[in-house]
Amino acid sequence: MRKISVLSILVILMSMFQSCSEKIETDLTQTAFIPKPTSVTATGDGYNLTKASLIYVQEGPAGLLSTAEFLAEKINQLTGNSAETKTTNSTPSKGVYISIAEDGELNKQGYELKINKNLISIKGADAAGCFFGLQTLLQTLPVANDNAQPLYVPTGTITDSPEYYYRGSMLDVSRHFFNVEEVKQYIDFLAMYKMNVLHLHLSDDQGWRIEIKSWPKLTDFGGQTEVGGGEGGFYTQEQYKELVQYAADRQIMIVPEIDMPGHTNAALASYAELNCDGKARELYTGTEVGFSTLCTDKEITYQFIDDVIRELAEITPGPYIHIGGDESHVTAHDDYVYFVNKVQDIVKKYDKKIIGWDEIANAKLIDDVTVQFWADVENTTMGVEKGAQVLMSPAARAYLDMQYDSTTHLGLHWAGYIEVDHGYDWDPATLVEGITKENILGIEAPLWSETVTNIDEVEYMTFPRLPGYAEIGWTAPAERNWDEYKTRLAKHGKRFEALGIDYYKSALVPWEE
Ligand code: IFG
C-alpha cells in the first residue's frame, strides 16, 4: 500500500477545514430579517457575490440609480470589487437588476427580491420599494468582511410590503444640538430598518436650530446654547437641504417641527416683540416645560409664523410641516385654539399638511391634519372625531428617551420604563380604544434629548429598541411576537458591534456570542 505521507494528510485536513470555514449559507429562511418580511421562500443555493460586477438599473423610472449606487458601494466594501451601475431596457441574465413592477403588481412601498445562482432581481412597486428590497438583501450579508471571505447570497424569493406607510423616528435637536454628521448617522440607522421618516424637532425653549433668513436672531442668538449651557448650534438652510437630500437618497422624508405656541423661549429670547410684555426673555438651559408662549393676540406673531413657515416650506420637499402644539400650559385655552386655527391656515397657504402633538385636537382642525398621539387619549380620539389621522407615538411604549429600567444612566421615566420587550410587544391598531388601523397614518419613536448629548448616547437609547419600532411599522401584527422576534434581534447584536453602535445589551435578548 502506498505510504500516505504526513504532508498529504495535512493537506486533506486543511482542505476539509477550509471548506467548512467557507460554509455557504444557502437557506434564505435562516436570515434574521428585521423587519420580518411578508413571505420568504428558499431554493437552497447560493449567488456568489464576489462575481457581482454589474448592477443593472431599468431605464426610465426615477430614483433607482441612487439605490443602485448605494448597493454598488456596499458590494465593493464587502468584496473589494469595483461593481458599477448600468442602465438597461431589458432584463439581464446575470448580475443584479433593479426595476419597477407593473402597475398594481406589488403593494405600495413593497418589493419582490428574487435570487438565483446568476441573478439578483430587486423589483419594487416604486423607488422606495426598490430601496427597501436592497435593505433586505443587505441583511443576508455581513456588515463587514475584513478577512475577505467569499460571500454568497442564499437563493430564493422574498415578497414584502409594509403595514404602515409612515414609519419614523424623531430626533430632538433643540435640547441638545446634533451636527449634520450626527444626523446623517441617525438617518443611516433608520434606513437599515426600512424606516422612512425623520421628524426633526428644530425649535424649543433651549434652542432654535434652523436658519430663518427673515428673522436672523432666531439662530444668531436663539441657537447659541442648549440644556446644560453648552454651545448649541444650528443648521443653515444649505445644511438643512443637505440633510433633506441625504435622507431622500435613502427614501427617508424629513418632517420639520416648529413647536408653538409653547416651547418657544428661544424665539422669545431672540425677539422682544414676540412677547406680550415686549420684553425679551433670557436664554434657557434647564429642562422645565410649559412656561413659555408666543403672544397669541399680537399681529406680529402671525407675521413671524408666516415668514418661518414660508421659508421652511421652500426647503422642505416632503408634504408635512409639524407645528408642535404641546404643553402650552401658560396659553389660555381659547387663545390656544385661536392660535392653532390661524397657524393651520398659514401652513395650508404654503401647501403643506399639518402634524401636531395631540393637544391640537382642541382646535377646529382643517382637512388632512394628523394628530400625533403621545399622552392624551381624549385629545387623540377627539381629533379622530374631527376627521384627523393619528400618528402613534405613545410615550409609555415608544419614547426612546424613557429609561430601559431604573439603572439606565440616561433618559427619563415619567412615562414609565421601556425595556426592549415593552417597546416591541404592542399593536398600534389595538393599543387605544377608539383608535383603529384605519385612523392610523403610522408609527414614530421620538428621542427627546434633555439627557442625551452625543451620538453615542443616541445609540444607547435607540438600540436595540429602534428595530422593534421599525418592525411594528412594517410587519403585520399577526406575524409578530416577542419570543420569536428576540431570537432575530439577538443576531443583530453582531451587526450593531460591527457598525460601532453603542447599544444597550438587554438581558432579555439571547445575544449571540
Ligand atoms: N414631553 C414633552 C417633550 C419632552 C418629553 C420628554 C412631548 C410632546 C416630555 N412634549 O413629549 O418636550 O420634554 O420625555
Side-chain angles (χ1 to χ4, degrees):
M1 188 178 98
R2 190 162 58 83
K3 204 169 153 217
I4 296 179
S5 73
V6 171
L7 179 64
S8 54
I9 290 171
L10 276 175
V11 167
I12 292 165
L13 287 174
M14 281 298 290
S15 65
M16 282 167 63
F17 173 74
Q18 185 67 10
S19 61
C20 62
S21 73
E22 268 185 26
K23 182 186 169 313
I24 299 164
E25 180 48 67
T26 56
D27 182 355
L28 190 58
T29 64
Q30 292 308 305
T31 304
F33 294 114
I34 299 177
K36 186 179 179 184
T38 307
S39 81
V40 181
T41 310
T43 50
D45 210 327
Y47 170 96
N48 183 338
L49 197 79
T50 45
K51 290 191 302 187
S53 55
L54 262 181
I55 299 165
Y56 293 96
V57 178
Q58 180 187 8
E59 200 156 23
L64 303 192
L65 205 50
S66 55
T67 293
E69 284 160 0
F70 196 94
L71 174 56
E73 189 185 328
K74 293 287 179 187
I75 289 178
N76 295 340
Q77 274 169 6
L78 287 170
T79 62
N81 285 5
S82 51
E84 293 177 346
T85 61
K86 182 178 171 61
T87 55
T88 176
N89 50 25
S90 65
T91 303
S93 57
K94 63 182 176 44
V96 180
Y97 180 48
I98 298 174
S99 64
I100 295 291
E102 297 299 323
D103 281 353
E105 184 186 344
L106 297 172
N107 296 332
K108 183 177 165 187
Q109 296 188 18
Y111 64 88
E112 178 195 73
L113 174 59
K114 286 187 87 159
I115 307 150
N116 65 40
K117 275 178 78 73
N118 302 309
L119 178 70
I120 293 176
S121 163
I122 303 174
K123 180 164 63 174
D126 37 42
C130 289
F131 186 79
F132 300 140
L134 159 66
Q135 292 304 328
T136 299
L137 171 63
L138 293 180
Q139 289 192 359
T140 69
L141 298 165
V143 165
N145 185 21
D146 302 339
N147 50 8
Q149 285 282 18
L151 293 177
Y152 287 78
V153 179
T155 58
T157 299
I158 293 178
T159 307
D160 197 12
S161 62
E163 189 77 4
Y164 297 101
Y165 301 132
Y166 183 123
R167 304 176 306 278
S169 180
M170 182 207 84
L171 188 57
D172 171 6
V173 297
S174 179
R175 274 49 181 272
H176 279 95
F177 179 67
F178 296 94
N179 64 35
V180 168
E181 286 320 304
E182 290 175 314
V183 176
K184 284 182 176 178
Q185 275 188 274
Y186 201 68
I187 289 170
D188 289 342
F189 298 153
L190 303 186
M192 284 194 302
Y193 291 100
K194 303 188 179 74
M195 284 185 141
N196 64 346
V197 182
L198 172 61
H199 165 183
L200 286 175
H201 185 75
L202 290 166
S203 68
D204 209 300
D205 292 319
Q206 295 85 350
W208 187 285
R209 305 297 182 207
I210 179 65
E211 175 194 13
I212 300 295
K213 297 180 191 301
S214 50
W215 294 73
K217 288 200 291 185
L218 290 170
T219 44
D220 291 351
F221 185 71
Q224 293 313 303
T225 188
E226 59 189 4
V227 168
E231 65 176 7
F234 65 91
Y235 311 112
T236 64
Q237 292 197 3
E238 284 315 302
Q239 288 172 319
Y240 178 83
K241 286 192 277 192
E242 180 185 339
L243 289 173
V244 165
Q245 188 56 55
Y246 190 86
D249 288 346
R250 290 153 180 82
Q251 297 301 328
I252 290 171
M253 159 177 73
I254 297 278
V255 174
E257 178 186 352
I258 300 297
D259 201 348
M260 48 188 163
H263 287 276
T264 43
N265 185 76
L268 297 168
S270 305
Y271 288 96
E273 59 269 44
L274 293 176
N275 296 270
C276 281
D277 61 9
K279 295 187 183 110
R281 294 311 185 257
E282 294 300 313
L283 289 174
Y284 179 67
T285 60
T287 57
E288 293 302 313
V289 297
F291 59 86
S292 57
T293 180
L294 291 170
C295 190
T296 56
D297 56 12
K298 270 185 165 181
E299 202 34 53
I300 190 169
T301 297
Y302 302 100
Q303 181 57 55
F304 164 71
I305 291 168
D306 194 291
D307 291 338
V308 169
I309 299 298
R310 171 176 45 75
E311 291 193 36
L312 200 50
E314 279 166 8
I315 55 178
T316 300
Y320 296 105
I321 285 188
H322 198 300
I323 62 169
D326 63 312
E327 298 182 319
S328 301
H329 297 331
V330 293
T331 316
H333 180 270
D334 293 350
D335 294 345
Y336 176 87
V337 170
Y338 171 80
F339 175 88
V340 173
N341 289 344
K342 281 180 77 76
V343 170
Q344 287 185 88
D345 294 340
I346 292 171
V347 175
K348 185 173 168 66
K349 181 170 78 170
Y350 293 107
D351 295 326
K352 294 299 180 185
K353 295 194 280 191
I354 287 161
I355 302 177
W357 298 106
D358 60 45
E359 289 95 326
I360 66 163
N362 288 284
K364 163 187 74 184
L365 293 196
I366 58 176
D367 290 347
D368 243 351
V369 168
T370 297
V371 165
Q372 184 163 9
F373 170 58
W374 65 285
D376 190 310
V377 170
E378 200 178 316
N379 281 340
T380 309
T381 46
M382 178 167 50
V384 169
E385 285 152 22
K386 294 182 178 179
Q389 283 213 289
V390 178
L391 177 57
M392 290 295 284
S393 298
R397 293 284 189 165
Y399 267 28
L400 284 164
D401 64 317
M402 290 303 114
Q403 292 166 292
Y404 291 97
D405 62 25
S406 59
T407 68
T408 309
H409 65 289
L410 300 167
L412 307 171
H413 58 267
W414 64 267
Y417 295 115
I418 303 182
E419 246 293 1
V420 185
D421 58 341
H422 193 60
Y424 176 81
D425 212 3
W426 60 283
D427 176 0
T430 59
L431 184 75
V432 178
E433 192 180 336
I435 301 174
T436 61
K437 186 162 189 287
E438 292 62 49
N439 306 129
I440 296 172
L441 171 68
I443 172 178
E444 184 185 285
L447 176 61
W448 298 103
S449 63
E450 281 95 335
T451 66
V452 177
T453 67
N454 59 45
I455 197 68
D456 289 343
E457 294 179 351
V458 166
E459 290 168 2
Y460 190 78
M461 298 308 279
T462 306
F463 286 89
R465 291 180 293 194
L466 190 76
Y469 298 119
E471 180 152 310
I472 291 170
W474 183 281
T475 304
E479 292 300 312
R480 293 196 301 107
N481 78 74
W482 167 252
D483 286 331
E484 184 277 331
Y485 169 73
K486 70 182 179 187
T487 63
R488 282 184 282 127
L489 180 60
K491 294 181 179 159
H492 282 242
K494 288 273 174 269
R495 302 178 78 86
F496 302 155
E497 287 159 16
L499 290 163
I501 290 173
D502 180 22
Y503 70 106
Y504 164 65
K505 205 162 182 176
S506 169
L508 301 181
V509 179
W511 302 106
E512 279 189 328
E513 286 318 315

